[in-house]
Amino acid sequence: MDINRRILVTGGCGFIGANFVRLLLREYPDWRVINLDKLTYAGNLQNLEGIEENDQYRFVKADICDAAAMDKLFVDEQIDSVVHFAAESHVDRSITGPAAFIQTNIVGTFTLLEAARKTWLNNSWKGNDPRFLHVSTDEVYGSLGDTGMFTETTPFDPRSPYSASKASSDHLVNAYFHTYGLPVVITNCSNNYGPYQFPEKLIPLVFHNSMNGKPLPIYGDGKYVRDWLYVEDHCEAIVEVLTKGKNGLSYNIGGNNEKQNLEVVTRICDTLDAKIGMPKSGNPRKELVIFVKDRPGHDRRYAIDASFIKDQLGWEPKVTFAAGIEKTVDWYLANQDWVASVVDGSYQKYYETMYG
Ligand code: NAD
Ligand code: DAU
């Protein structure tokens, strides 16, 4: 089969990246997919279990900050498309240890942009029209009050080391468009949920703790609001932006699902009670909720206005919150071995098993 696109997916062993790689291999058999991942604590090769290396797919263990390795990979694989997920992604970790966020999210993005610039803007480039898609977050816009929504023109106002590092990377990507004419697009999306999410994030954490009779820690008053987006909807939106988006633009991607944290936690507990019955204690799982000290600088509310991507590219989310939570709880119930291996750390040995 002729290869029509040669795509570098960075961070393809993480939560969203793995869902994205699976989507590409399922739906786009004529694309060659190079999955580059450093396999940090958040990178799990088991997320891609069952996927073999072949003409369509290759895994490369590397750091996006390694300039020589990035330059060589772009040339060796004649990469014509980048979907850049690789990042340090957890806000709480950015508060206790910001250095890795600055390194990967800012220096790493810069290193990839340089590799793309050297390869694509060189007169000898003979490949397809190239495209660099940078995956960013709604957190760059800061925090909302009770009303209003983030649009693509909302000024940046990041408030955590994580969101500041992502905002910096967005600025760099835009600078490469304006200064060098690098063909770039940016996506800013809301909170994802679904299969393969690391159980440090709210939804899988609540699943794991409530299955094990552990407390469910709610930061502050639990009335913080996030706009929840089912991960497969997000991955489909990324393909739309990659293939049809306009260079130099940003596209907001949201789920139209604003919920308070306490409501999310209660919904997961009630869904579990209904699906597998009450725990041994006989008490509903939601009684495991405890209110704990708030996250420093905790953003009160995020809400995405996703009308631009709908108007321009025809994309809108398909999965309602009710359906998404059902699917997610079903997936975690069916994949408790996966959760256990992430929690006990044994997933980190999987690389040696696969690659020696
Ligand atoms: P994740 O933490 O689950 O995965 C990150 C992946 O990047 C891991 O596989 C990790 O090994 C890899 N990685 C980290 N540092 C690396 C480096 N230096 N070199 C190569 N690989 C490296 O993250 P996620 O939740 O899948 O998020 C993916 C992207 O989407 C991130 O850029 C994040 O900022 C953005 N985002 C996430 C959400 C969300 O709700 N999860 C929402 C908006 C935007
Ligand atoms: O908005 C997009 C962002 O969503 C992404 O850019 C980030 O990469 C991703 O991690 C996510 O950030 P959040 O901080 O919103 O996600 P998290 O799951 O950590 O927290 C969701 C909400 O739940 C938030 O208001 C904090 C709260 N929370 C979280 C945890 C882990 C709790 O109340 N208790 C918890 O134990």
Side-chain angles (χ1 to χ4, degrees):
M1 182 181 291
D2 288 344
I3 296 292
N4 283 327
R5 197 179 275 272
R6 308 177 69 84
I7 181 167
L8 173 65
V9 177
T10 69
C13 296
F15 161 48
I16 308 174
N19 280 282
F20 186 71
V21 167
R22 286 182 175 278
L23 170 78
L24 294 189
L25 298 183
R26 213 168 47 232
E27 308 278 339
Y28 299 88
D30 58 346
W31 291 13
R32 177 153 166 83
V33 178
I34 312 297
N35 169 16
L36 181 142
D37 201 297
K38 184 181 173 183
L39 296 180
T40 67
Y41 82 94
N44 184 349
L45 263 183
Q46 284 178 329
N47 294 355
L48 295 167
E49 198 167 11
I51 291 177
E52 306 288 334
E53 292 211 14
N54 57 37
D55 286 350
Q56 197 196 345
Y57 174 73
R58 176 182 166 202
F59 171 67
V60 177
K61 185 172 188 283
D63 187 333
I64 56 166
C65 301
D66 180 343
M70 295 309 102
D71 291 351
K72 183 169 181 328
L73 189 68
F74 267 72
V75 172
D76 286 353
E77 286 286 351
Q78 287 293 284
I79 299 295
D80 57 36
S81 311
V82 175
V83 174
H84 174 35
F85 292 102
E88 289 292 335
S89 70
H90 192 39
V91 175
D92 291 334
R93 287 181 189 253
S94 84
I95 295 166
T96 51
F101 287 72
I102 304 308
Q103 184 64 17
T104 287
N105 299 1
I106 305 178
V107 178
T109 302
F110 162 73
T111 307
L112 283 172
L113 288 166
E114 275 293 274
R117 180 172 79 89
K118 284 186 230 163
T119 313
W120 297 341
L121 303 186
N122 181 324
N123 286 335
S124 65
W125 173 251
K126 298 280 182 287
N128 293 327
D129 281 350
R131 171 59 69 78
F132 188 114
L133 187 152
H134 174 60
V135 179
S136 190
T137 170
D138 58 1
E139 299 202 13
V140 298
Y141 300 122
S143 183
L144 291 165
D146 290 342
T147 57
M149 296 180 123
F150 298 134
T151 70
E152 286 78 1
T153 55
T154 301
F156 281 17
D157 183 23
R159 292 148 43 99
S160 71
Y162 164 70
S163 52
S165 68
K166 291 297 289 188
S168 306
S169 62
D170 290 22
H171 285 314
L172 276 172
V173 173
N174 275 320
Y176 272 64
F177 172 73
H178 290 290
T179 305
Y180 303 113
L182 197 75
V184 303
V185 279
I186 298 178
T187 55
N188 295 89
C189 79
S190 60
N191 285 62
N192 284 222
Y193 68 106
Y196 303 109
Q197 188 167 27
F198 196 89
E200 64 186 351
K201 307 280 166 63
L202 183 68
I203 287 181
L205 178 112
V206 166
F207 173 86
H208 174 68
N209 284 14
S210 61
M211 289 293 287
N212 292 285
K214 292 187 180 165
L216 308 178
I218 301 281
Y219 300 163
D221 63 4
K223 293 185 179 160
Y224 292 80
V225 173
R226 298 292 183 263
D227 171 5
W228 294 95
L229 172 66
Y230 192 65
V231 64
E232 286 176 6
D233 273 340
H234 181 201
C235 292
E236 286 171 9
I238 288 177
V239 172
E240 291 301 303
V241 177
L242 179 71
T243 54
K244 300 183 200 143
K246 186 160 178 259
N247 286 337
L249 292 187
S250 294
Y251 295 83
N252 280 356
I253 305 174
N256 297 333
N257 279 314
E258 275 187 64
K259 304 279 174 227
Q260 290 188 351
N261 292 339
L262 198 51
E263 185 185 345
V264 172
V265 172
T266 306
R267 174 74 76 108
I268 297 165
C269 292
D270 291 348
T271 306
L272 274 172
D273 291 350
K275 280 186 188 289
I276 59 170
M278 292 295 168
K280 279 196 199 116
S281 67
N283 300 325
R285 287 180 174 81
K286 62 186 164 210
E287 290 185 9
L288 293 168
V289 162
I290 55 166
F291 290 90
V292 299
K293 192 165 171 280
D294 211 349
R295 172 186 279 174
H298 198 171
D299 290 336
R300 188 65 173 171
R301 174 172 165 260
Y302 303 143
I304 285 270
D305 175 349
S307 55
F308 183 67
I309 187 171
K310 184 177 175 195
D311 294 346
Q312 298 295 310
L313 307 180
W315 176 89
E316 58 185 329
K318 294 189 218 131
V319 181
T320 62
F321 190 65
I325 284 291
E326 282 280 321
K327 279 151 83 90
T328 302
V329 168
D330 285 345
W331 188 87
Y332 282 93
L333 281 172
N335 290 277
Q336 292 185 60
D337 290 353
W338 179 91
V339 180
S341 76
V342 174
V343 172
D344 72 16
S346 55
Y347 70 103
Q348 287 174 313
K349 300 196 184 91
Y350 194 73
Y351 176 76
E352 278 77 39
T353 318
M354 293 289 288
Y355 292 91

